[in-house]
Amino acid sequence: MSAKRSIQRALISVYDKTNLIELARGLHDAGVEIVSTGSTAKTIADKGIPVTPVEFVTGFPEILDGRVKTLHPRIHGGLLADSRNPAHVKALQAHDIAPFDLLVVNLYPFSETVASGASEDECVEQIDIGGPAMVRAAAKNHATVAVVVDPLGYDGVLAAVRSGGFTLEERKRLASLAFRHTAEYDVAVATWMGSTLAPEEDAPAALPQWVGATWKRTAVLRYGENPHQQAALYRNDAEWPGLAQAEQLHGKEMSYNNYTDADAAWRAAFDHEDICVAIIKHANPCGIAISSTSVADAHRKAHACDPLSAFGGVIAANTTVSVEMAETVADIFTEVIVAPAYEPGAVEVLSRKKNIRVLVASEPAVGGTEFRQVSGGLLVQQRDEFTAPGDDPANWTLATGEPADPATLADLKFAWRACRAVKSNAIVVAADGATVGVGMGQVNRVDAARLAVQRAGDRVRGAVAASDAFFPFPDGLEVLIEAGVKAVVHPGGSVRDEEVTAAAAKAGITLYLTGARHFAH
């Protein structure tokens, strides 16, 4: 490890004054000269701690309402001079510039100002210029200067000062953190400018010309989808909190597959307006159900769809998990359960199973975009939600048969919404607000129908069915008809729609067309 470089002179300029006084007092007690700016200097001086205002160093006052105060050779020369370079040392002496050993800066709260709904002018005023310039200068010159951008690091600063300073390895780590900090800041500013200050004309707001984001690794996972694959969880805390930000209340560490299935289950549960429970395994539903009475009832119905597949599945509820539901779940091998809240006592019941992962998460964001990586780039699309006119049964077209009674129509609506959570080609058979047979991920719609019917068994008779895309031929629909389904909803739009409708008419079943589609790949 390299020798430590002592701290003799520090420059402090912070918007967030958290723990500032403790830091300044500790530096002063260690014999460090403190130079500071504006309100930071005043805060330090008001506590009787010696501090040199920056304008005493530059010989120039703050101007333009504080926009210009540190952009001066006496500041940046002191930050950028590499003490290992004799020419730099000679230049400092020639211009009577004293070097800095430590920079402590945090930036104007730009993102918080935008989130508050402030005006454009107010947001622009919170774009920090001098702060990032100093941070970048000190981080570049990490051979000489240590830079700290987070109040959480102040204890480490004081510990280093008292022990003789920072090593080169420590300064390198601090420099890396500093550049990440300014990168995140720049992405936030650029994103806001592109979306709000100067949006593209005649371009979809959800699909900007430039996309930037930053993610922080928050967990190294045991492995990825398979044991030979390395994996980690990264979070983007600038976005609405999702499964990556969920709080784990109990259980083993989450795995890669746990996260993907929990995310699919969480979204599936919130596809429905009623109380809903979704059970997911390998990104497909083992069962989804709604209830007008209780979350425990919804879970029982969802589990009954396919108890065999639900073994080792992931459960999501769109409402508070009751003790009654927890008692049932505790008797079933379950990898993960996620909900917005738990009744008192429910987590204790679930905790009887040592390994079950119990998560509490925020309700999924409405709208937004989703990304899929492809070789050399990203595909970006609006998140699939039930916003098309055809997602409302009031807009469905009755292609043939008698209009569905209220109960049948409610089941058709449920089946249509449940289809979105199923990988294409998808067929859902449903009854009484619950899936009873799910045909997922087949490369033709006939096999998807056969799989759904097989899984439903005797429950298919008198049930309803939904297809995520149109029937290209009558054969897929005929599988459902022969099994005893009484009503079907599908998007329509095939060149053979008339043949498909004719098959439904011949069988005397009800057939609705939505005009909307919900592929999931």
Side-chain angles (χ1 to χ4, degrees), residues 375-391:
S375 300
L378 293 173
L379 290 172
V380 182
Q381 67 172 352
Q382 287 182 285
R383 188 172 290 111
D384 185 20
E385 296 181 321
F386 298 101
T387 54
D391 290 322

Side-chain angles (χ1 to χ4, degrees), residues 86-107:
H88 285 198
V89 175
K90 185 176 180 180
L92 290 186
Q93 293 171 346
H95 296 285
D96 193 24
I97 297 174
F100 291 104
D101 309 299
L102 170 68
L103 174 72
V104 179
V105 167
N106 57 65
L107 308 179

Side-chain angles (χ1 to χ4, degrees), residues 204-513:
L207 303 172
Q209 187 178 38
W210 178 88
V211 175
T214 61
W215 288 266
K216 292 180 181 178
R217 192 186 70 201
T218 55
V220 175
L221 308 178
R222 287 178 61 200
Y223 51 78
E225 284 187 279
N226 302 292
H228 63 276
Q229 295 173 269
Q230 293 183 333
L233 174 69
Y234 290 78
R235 284 189 349 196
N236 179 359
D237 290 333
E239 299 291 333
W240 182 269
L243 256 295
Q245 289 81 12
E247 179 185 1
Q248 185 167 349
L249 306 179
H250 174 76
K252 294 170 61 178
E253 291 182 0
M254 291 281 285
S255 72
Y256 183 97
N257 294 329
N258 289 155
Y259 274 112
T260 57
D261 280 352
D263 199 50
W266 193 231
R267 185 175 173 189
F270 278 90
D271 276 343
H272 301 269
E273 298 159 351
D274 297 307
I275 294 170
C276 182
V277 170
I279 306 173
I280 298 289
K281 195 172 181 182
H282 298 302
N284 272 302
C286 309
I288 302 174
I290 57 175
S291 175
S292 60
T293 57
S294 71
V295 69
D297 179 54
H299 173 253
R300 280 191 292 267
K301 290 160 63 176
H303 183 79
C305 176
D306 188 356
L308 180 64
S309 297
F311 182 85
V314 170
I315 300 173
N318 68 355
T319 190
T320 300
V321 169
S322 64
V323 172
E324 182 185 4
M325 176 180 167
E327 291 282 3
T328 305
V329 172
D331 291 333
I332 302 165
F333 172 51
T334 300
E335 288 277 355
V336 182
I337 181 169
V338 54
Y342 296 83
E343 274 186 2
V347 174
E348 287 73 16
V349 170
L350 293 167
S351 298
R352 295 203 297 252
K353 294 285 189 179
K354 182 177 68 173
N355 293 333
I356 185 173
R357 301 155 179 90
V358 181
L359 305 183
V360 59
S362 301
E363 182 175 335
V366 175
T369 53
E370 56 190 12
F371 300 81
R372 176 170 293 185
Q373 188 170 357
V374 295
S375 300
L378 293 173
L379 290 172
V380 182
Q381 67 172 352
Q382 287 182 285
R383 188 172 290 111
D384 185 20
E385 296 181 321
F386 298 101
T387 54
D391 290 322
D392 183 352
N395 297 323
W396 291 356
T397 298
L398 179 63
T400 187
E402 293 295 320
D405 59 64
T408 301
L409 189 63
D411 273 345
L412 284 167
K413 177 184 177 182
F414 165 79
W416 176 247
R417 284 180 165 258
C419 248
R420 193 228 44 87
V422 183
K423 298 298 183 183
S424 301
N425 289 312
I427 299 289
V428 168
V429 178
D432 189 28
T435 57
V436 295
V438 181
M440 74 286 281
Q442 302 303 301
V443 292
N444 68 73
R445 206 153 292 277
V446 178
D447 284 345
R450 287 172 179 157
L451 181 58
V453 166
Q454 175 192 340
R455 288 172 179 252
D458 293 339
R459 296 172 295 179
V460 71
R461 296 200 170 276
V464 306
S467 176
D468 66 337
F470 62 64
F471 291 99
F473 299 94
D475 48 4
L477 178 65
E478 288 168 347
V479 170
L480 298 173
I481 291 170
E482 291 168 9
V485 165
K486 67 179 179 180
V488 175
V489 58
H490 78 123
S494 166
V495 296
R496 295 181 178 84
D497 267 358
E498 290 185 5
E499 295 176 39
V500 173
T501 300
K506 181 180 178 181
I509 71 162
T510 297
L511 181 68
Y512 282 102
L513 309 180

Side-chain angles (χ1 to χ4, degrees), residues 75-236:
I75 299 301
H76 283 270
L79 292 171
L80 282 166
D82 183 349
S83 63
R84 303 170 303 174
N85 186 329
H88 285 198
V89 175
K90 185 176 180 180
L92 290 186
Q93 293 171 346
H95 296 285
D96 193 24
I97 297 174
F100 291 104
D101 309 299
L102 170 68
L103 174 72
V104 179
V105 167
N106 57 65
L107 308 179
Y108 293 168
F110 175 78
S111 295
E112 293 82 352
T113 303
V114 171
S116 73
S119 68
E120 285 187 6
D121 284 348
E122 289 171 320
C123 292
V124 167
E125 207 54 42
Q126 291 302 315
I127 298 174
D128 204 327
I129 302 301
M134 290 190 292
V135 169
R136 291 172 64 87
K140 176 179 178 175
N141 194 29
H142 56 267
T144 298
V145 182
V147 53
V148 177
V149 294
D150 190 337
L152 293 176
Y154 292 174
D155 286 344
V157 170
L158 294 178
V161 169
R162 291 164 185 152
S163 65
F166 291 97
T167 65
L168 177 59
E169 289 75 15
E170 289 168 338
R171 294 195 300 276
K172 286 179 178 179
R173 285 196 293 270
L174 291 172
S176 176
L177 291 172
F179 271 111
R180 288 183 210 170
H181 187 60
T182 57
E184 291 170 358
Y185 198 82
D186 287 343
V187 165
V189 173
T191 299
W192 175 78
M193 283 194 163
S195 63
T196 302
L197 197 65
E200 292 180 87
E201 294 184 8
D202 303 321
L207 303 172
Q209 187 178 38
W210 178 88
V211 175
T214 61
W215 288 266
K216 292 180 181 178
R217 192 186 70 201
T218 55
V220 175
L221 308 178
R222 287 178 61 200
Y223 51 78
E225 284 187 279
N226 302 292
H228 63 276
Q229 295 173 269
Q230 293 183 333
L233 174 69
Y234 290 78
R235 284 189 349 196
N236 179 359

